């Protein structure tokens, strides 16, 4: 369903993804934009843990912290490290490996069906991410 993320001034849906070091999607979860990212971490981690049991570490931005990190370690045996800008840094500085996720979102935005939320349900929005991921992987194999 649709919602509104007051922090990012976005209405509609929110896509949360987990990617590997190359930017390929390991897990995804679509929800209303009004739900905070930290509440969406567990569904994504559950997908990753089920499909990729060898994953033991995750890097996240500062939106994910506190008790959530302990819960993910306990429930999914995944250590979470929060990426933050080093102290004393002025201006924009890409966070370590955070750019990999942002690049994946840019790849997804290259698909017309994902530039806007055309889907009626969150499940169909997730399926569109799956189709885009398959296309990206097939393109990668071809080269």
């Amino acid at each position: 369903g649709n919602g509104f993320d007051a922090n990012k001034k976005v209405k509609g849906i929110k896509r949360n993804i987990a990617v590997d070091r190359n930017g390929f999607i390991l897990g995804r979860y679509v929800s209303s934009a009004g739900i905070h990212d930290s509440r969406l971490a567990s569904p994504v981690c559950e997908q990753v843990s089920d499909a990729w049991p060898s994953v033991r570490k995750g890097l996240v931005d500062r939106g994910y912290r506190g008790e959530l990190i302990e819960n993910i370690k306990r429930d999914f045996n995944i250590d979470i490290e929060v990426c933050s800008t080093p102290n004393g840094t002025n201006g924009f500085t890409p966070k370590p490996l955070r750019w990999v996720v942002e690049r994946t979102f840019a790849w997804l935005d290259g698909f017309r069906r994902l530039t806007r939320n055309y889907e009626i349900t969150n499940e169909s929005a997730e399926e569109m991410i799956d189709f885009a991921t398959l296309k990206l992987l097939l393109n990668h194999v071809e080269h």
Side-chain angles (χ1 to χ4, degrees):
N2 290 333
F4 183 74
D5 182 346
N7 185 38
K8 295 180 183 172
K9 312 263 189 294
V10 173
K11 65 180 178 177
I13 64 166
K14 184 180 286 186
R15 296 179 186 116
N16 275 47
I17 60 174
V19 301
D20 66 9
R21 289 178 152 276
N22 296 311
F24 295 117
I25 296 177
L26 302 177
R28 83 287 181 273
Y29 189 77
V30 173
S31 73
S32 165
I35 298 174
H36 191 271
D37 288 347
S38 63
R39 291 192 42 215
L40 305 174
S42 286
V44 173
C45 288
E46 182 174 11
Q47 278 186 3
V48 171
S49 178
D50 289 348
W52 312 96
S54 62
V55 171
R56 292 285 171 248
K57 185 175 184 176
L59 301 174
V60 297
D61 64 21
R62 289 181 301 190
Y64 307 87
R65 52 186 146 179
E67 190 177 305
L68 171 71
I69 292 173
E70 297 162 20
N71 292 345
I72 289 173
K73 174 66 175 170
R74 181 193 67 228
D75 296 343
F76 309 110
N77 198 26
I78 298 173
D79 290 314
I80 298 296
E81 181 181 321
V82 179
C83 296
S84 58
T85 306
N87 290 337
T89 303
N90 292 327
F92 173 76
T93 306
K95 293 173 180 59
L97 294 178
R98 174 71 189 158
W99 64 270
V100 176
V101 175
E102 298 303 337
R103 182 185 63 186
T104 301
F105 278 122
W107 288 344
L108 293 176
D109 283 344
F111 292 87
R112 188 182 64 78
R113 285 284 293 263
L114 295 175
T115 57
R116 285 204 168 115
N117 181 28
Y118 293 106
E119 310 310 318
I120 294 172
T121 66
N122 291 346
E123 291 77 15
S124 63
E126 288 173 353
E127 290 168 357
M128 285 300 118
I129 293 172
D130 294 345
F131 285 129
T133 300
L134 286 170
K135 176 85 168 93
L136 291 168
L137 287 170
L138 288 172
N139 286 348
H140 186 72
V141 170
E142 289 178 4
H143 295 106

